[in-house]
Amino acid sequence: MSDIIQLLPDHIANQIAAGEVVQRPASVVKELIENSIDAGATKIELLVKDGGKTLVQVVDNGCGMTEGDARMCFERHATSKIKAADDLFKLRTKGFRGEALASIAAIAHVDLKTKQVGEELGTAVIIEGSKVIEQKPSACVEGTSIAVKNLFYNVPARRNFLGSDITEYRKVLDEFLRIALVHPNLTLSFKHNNELIYQLHPQNLRQRLVNIYGKPYNERLVAVEEETDIVKITGFISKPEFARSKSDQSFLFVNDRFFKDRYFHHAIMAAYDGIIPQSKYPPYFLYFSVPTESIDVNVHPTKTEIKFEENQAIYAIIRSAIKQALGKFNVAPTLDFEHESTFDVPPLKEGESIQVPQIKVNPDYNPFNSEKKSYSGSASSGGSGGSYTIQSKGFSSIQPNKEEWEDEPIKKETQVEVVASSMNDEVEIEKKKPVQINNKYILTSVKNGFLLIDQYRAHCRVLFEKFLGGSEEKSTVNSQKLLFTESFEIDSTEKPFWSELLPHLNENGFELSLKGKEIMIDAVPVDAKDENPVKLVQSVLDQFKESEQLEEVDLQKRIALSLAASLAIKGGKRLGVDEMEFLIDALFASEMPQISPHGKKIIETFTLDEITKRFN
Ligand code: ADP
Ligand code: MG
């Protein structure tokens, strides 16, 4: 029998290796920028199109490559950074495997232009699917430009696996931030679809954080500094009151590399224990320096986990360093303005007392008095859908209870188990007046007991179906012109979200436009006419971003969900009897009265039997 084992041709080996190094456009961004930094660049430009699917280009002013290296760099295991295995333990560069460019060139169209400092001519190389198409001298500028186009053009299965442009954009942005946060001394810019997202100049870390996250961060951050024999920790943490409901501003770096570590994250959270509410996360940006021999970064090219020799000791050091930093800021505000600002709240003067804030509510106010209810079926019509319109003009505004609706994690609706759907048929609301409990739940009696309805979730369900409804229902979304146009400035990173969102919001009662960096608000849906328009529009965006995690949910649903979650009356809002009756009617006319669009229970049932048992 003849031998059957063969060596794989290089281009196939590269394609297989590419699967490990390049998962998505963001991985290309990481590899290219890291190469630029290794090449000693002080200025790096990142240009991205369509979330990186069409183009990722990095232009640097680093050392450039010779003609020979410009060709060699695309070979597998071609690296200028290590020569012997021993070098692995003294790594000072970001790359060392010599795999990135070979992998990228195997699954994309790559244009390289590079020129060494002081040389007259540079080199241009075009390479597609590992095949060199062209190599010629080029009169380019000093440094290197690598453009990676049409990622995975020859691996359709992987291309299809990519998320939407916005999803990929978000990952690219994260990658860019990880680099920007660790190299504040570099000039960095990031353009997406020709839109300038960031232009960062050399600055110190605090300035960079403020530049990236906005001015308020100057007041929010506390410096951390700790030096021991095994680790040096520097960086910033957030004051407890600025903890967020998302943990997206948690950054750990070791020897200038971003990494993730649940154990260390736990150490940080433990330091905040008792001073921030549960399920809140303080932003943190912490930088560790350890001897290069004491960590193993050689785990996986794209993995962000790093093994530390002195894991447990470092845990204890992190915890105490943070406690100390927080303690300093609480007990002994320093006058060192470089480091820390002083208290925001002036101490009380003698004889002064704190006034409890009061909210005035007119309990007799009934915004529905002039409204006609066009849903007139009996509450038991259940899933039949019935025709109804909700013109809940003005659930008068009380500051929304943020806690209540921020903690509604969005779940895929299709995963939700529909409980007790048979209930639809049995529910017959008795014509007794509903009662509101704790300004949050509505108690209503039914023939065989009573129901407790979560008012926010109920209204969310009703609005969700309305926004998802056909044009007939949409036309019932009336808008209310504002007396004066309101506007607010957006964060440039959010521009792609706004561009996607605005046309949809304008179909749903808003009148919004994007002028430069500002969103102009001319009208809002009548349902929300008493809300603060700026907060409302921002909340829709927050909800929309949140729903981003559900890639499989279609855009219409995400928009409807964002609108519903933002416009629904919040827990904490007092409702009149008519409002409650109206909401109950609308809820039972909806398709899924039991389950909120976030997948949460709307109704709790208490049967007479259960009630009777309790008295036994
Ligand atoms: P690694 O970074 O692990 O060495 P890469 O495949 O990323 O492997 O790059 C291969 C080699 O190409 C690098 O070692 C470096 O010599 C060269 N190179 C890559 N990008 C640049 C750049 N922007 N400027 C100068 N040289 C570069
Ligand atoms: Mg590299």
Side-chain angles (χ1 to χ4, degrees):
M1 258 225 286
S2 55
D3 297 339
I4 52 169
I5 299 179
Q6 305 176 9
L7 278 177
L8 285 175
D10 263 2
H11 71 277
I12 297 192
N14 282 340
Q15 227 179 40
I16 294 171
E20 295 208 350
V21 183
V22 186
Q23 267 115 36
R24 51 191 353 132
S27 346
V28 176
V29 169
K30 172 173 187 280
E31 295 297 337
L32 294 186
I33 300 188
E34 288 191 348
N35 279 347
S36 298
I37 293 171
D38 285 347
T42 54
K43 187 174 168 216
I44 302 172
E45 288 169 50
L46 169 64
L47 306 154
V48 172
K49 289 213 168 113
D50 306 327
K53 291 180 193 167
T54 312
L55 173 77
V56 172
Q57 182 175 15
V58 170
V59 183
D60 69 46
N61 67 349
C63 64
M65 285 181 257
T66 62
E67 195 187 334
D69 284 351
R71 172 67 196 84
M72 257 305 269
C73 68
F74 294 109
E75 293 296 326
R76 206 134 64 94
H77 308 308
T79 178
S80 55
K81 298 168 195 175
I82 55 169
K83 296 200 167 66
D86 250 12
D87 296 346
L88 270 182
F89 300 98
K90 314 177 217 143
L91 272 182
R92 282 279 156 211
T93 54
K94 305 223 174 220
F96 56 86
R97 297 167 165 267
E99 269 179 341
L101 290 184
S103 303
I104 291 167
I107 41 95
H109 297 147
V110 178
D111 280 5
L112 161 73
K113 287 198 179 72
T114 184
K115 191 172 89 168
Q116 286 196 305
V117 182
E119 290 294 320
E120 189 109 317
L121 268 185
T123 310
V125 178
I126 298 178
I127 182 162
E128 296 181 353
S130 298
K131 250 188 31 219
V132 180
I133 305 289
E134 189 174 296
Q135 169 154 15
K136 59 177 187 194
S138 161
C140 49
V141 291
E142 282 170 2
T144 302
S145 155
I146 301 186
V148 176
K149 300 174 195 165
N150 310 321
L151 196 67
F152 298 129
Y153 78 99
N154 53 355
V155 201
R158 306 220 58 187
R159 195 167 167 92
N160 294 340
F161 180 74
L162 295 177
S164 66
D165 288 3
I166 293 218
T167 305
E168 296 304 330
Y169 161 79
R170 188 131 200 98
K171 309 237 181 220
V172 166
L173 181 68
D174 280 346
E175 210 58 66
F176 177 84
L177 289 179
R178 288 170 189 178
I179 294 179
L181 285 173
V182 92
H183 295 284
N185 54 327
L186 297 180
T187 302
L188 294 173
S189 66
F190 173 23
K191 275 191 188 164
H192 183 248
N193 292 344
N194 295 324
E195 185 98 54
L196 186 64
I197 307 290
Y198 281 117
Q199 174 69 61
L200 302 168
H201 297 290
Q203 48 203 169
N204 68 29
L205 179 61
R206 183 187 269 273
Q207 289 164 336
R208 180 141 291 187
L209 284 165
V210 168
N211 227 298
I212 291 174
Y213 292 108
K215 282 212 189 86
Y217 272 71
N218 199 27
E219 294 294 311
R220 297 183 185 179
L221 299 172
V222 184
V224 177
E225 278 204 65
E226 181 69 84
E227 187 158 5
T228 69
D229 287 345
I230 53 172
V231 64
K232 181 177 167 209
I233 305 175
T234 56
F236 292 94
I237 53 172
S238 141
K239 292 178 187 171
E241 63 267 39
F242 300 110
R244 298 155 46 85
S245 49
K246 279 197 276 176
S247 64
D248 58 341
Q249 291 175 9
S250 316
F251 288 88
L252 294 176
F253 302 92
V254 59
N255 298 354
D256 290 352
R257 264 170 215 278
F258 172 81
F259 74 108
K260 285 186 181 160
D261 196 310
R262 289 179 60 187
Y263 186 56
F264 292 168
H265 173 78
H266 189 269
I268 295 160
M269 297 306 288
Y272 279 91
D273 196 26
I275 53 173
I276 56 172
Q278 287 228 318
S279 75
K280 290 268 176 186
Y281 304 91
Y284 58 78
F285 311 89
L286 294 177
Y287 300 74
F288 301 175
S289 305
V290 297
T292 45
E293 311 82 57
S294 75
I295 51 170
D296 179 7
V297 291
N298 194 15
V299 199
H300 187 278
T302 56
K303 276 209 180 121
T304 43
E305 282 98 45
I306 287 185
K307 279 195 215 146
F308 285 77
E309 254 172 38
E310 313 254 14
N311 223 354
Q312 290 180 10
I314 296 178
Y315 181 101
I317 296 167
I318 297 173
R319 211 180 112 166
S320 91
I322 292 184
K323 282 203 155 177
Q324 218 179 348
L326 289 172
K328 247 191 222 156
F329 132 75
N330 263 326
V331 192
T334 62
L335 288 177
D336 176 359
F337 293 109
E338 232 314 277
H339 263 95
E340 196 37 60
S341 54
T342 47
F343 286 118
D344 302 334
V345 186
L348 287 180
K349 294 204 188 85
E350 224 176 294
E352 239 180 11
S353 65
I354 299 174
Q355 293 264 314
V356 179
Q358 305 250 320
I359 300 171
K360 284 208 182 102
V361 182
N362 173 4
D364 300 323
Y365 173 67
N366 179 358
F368 292 104
N369 268 346
S370 58
E371 287 303 314
K372 65 170 201 304
K373 281 197 235 168
S374 49
Y375 169 67
S376 55
S378 91
S380 59
S381 69
S384 65
S387 88
Y388 63 95
T389 53
I390 302 128
Q391 294 179 332
S392 48
K393 270 199 181 162
F395 281 103
S396 60
S397 76
I398 286 182
Q399 205 46 28
N401 178 354
K402 258 204 143 196
E403 225 90 285
E404 157 68 17
W405 51 285
E406 265 184 359
D407 71 5
E408 303 269 321
I410 295 169
K411 278 197 210 122
K412 216 173 99 185
E413 198 183 9
T414 46
Q415 280 175 350
V416 169
E417 221 182 296
V418 180
V419 287
S421 59
S422 62
M423 238 200 75
N424 276 358
D425 311 324
E426 290 161 19
V427 171
E428 203 165 303
I429 309 285
E430 292 211 333
K431 284 292 154 214
K432 287 194 187 120
K433 292 200 183 316
V435 179
Q436 195 183 20
I437 295 177
N438 207 18
N439 290 343
K440 198 174 170 202
Y441 302 104
I442 300 169
L443 186 152
T444 182
S445 26
V446 285
K447 249 192 192 157
N448 205 20
F450 67 90
L451 307 177
L452 271 182
I453 299 174
D454 182 305
Q455 67 188 45
Y456 170 72
R457 294 178 187 174
H459 198 208
C460 244
R461 161 56 62 193
V462 169
L463 290 179
F464 175 68
E465 291 189 11
K466 172 175 161 186
F467 287 120
L468 211 54
S471 50
E472 196 186 308
E473 265 172 45
K474 285 251 180 70
S475 64
T476 66
V477 185
N478 296 325
S479 66
Q480 168 84 41
K481 280 257 184 215
L482 300 184
L483 223 42
F484 303 101
T485 304
E486 298 233 16
S487 68
F488 63 95
E489 198 172 305
I490 59 165
D491 180 337
S492 49
T493 61
E494 291 174 342
K495 222 162 180 174
F497 291 99
W498 286 116
S499 309
E500 189 168 6
L501 204 53
L502 281 195
H504 298 282
L505 298 191
N506 288 343
E507 273 179 18
N508 283 296
F510 285 92
E511 261 175 51
L512 307 171
S513 53
L514 183 61
K515 287 221 174 79
K517 282 185 111 180
E518 276 191 315
I519 297 277
M520 320 296 285
I521 313 174
D522 287 307
V524 296
V526 259
D527 297 302
K529 74 172 176 19
D530 296 321
E531 305 258 352
N532 173 329
V534 170
K535 282 205 177 124
L536 175 73
V537 175
Q538 285 171 336
S539 140
V540 180
L541 181 78
D542 286 345
Q543 296 287 342
F544 183 67
K545 277 190 186 166
E546 195 101 327
S547 70
E548 162 83 352
Q549 291 147 10
L550 328 162
E551 280 163 28
E552 55 287 322
V553 169
D554 70 63
L555 185 67
Q556 289 306 327
K557 273 199 180 160
R558 287 178 53 202
I559 306 258
L561 201 61
S562 315
L563 284 166
S566 304
L567 293 174
I569 45 154
K570 311 296 183 286
K573 163 84 174 77
R574 184 159 175 175
L575 300 179
V577 171
D578 281 17
E579 285 173 301
M580 287 190 270
E581 283 176 345
F582 188 85
L583 187 56
I584 295 169
D585 282 357
L587 177 67
F588 284 102
S590 76
E591 283 183 17
M592 290 173 96
Q594 300 287 341
I595 304 287
S596 83
H598 297 93
K600 299 229 172 151
K601 188 192 273 187
I602 298 176
I603 303 171
E604 184 67 85
T605 326
F606 298 83
T607 61
L608 261 181
D609 283 353
E610 283 172 77
I611 300 166
T612 315
K613 258 188 218 145
R614 285 181 179 253
F615 285 95
N616 282 335

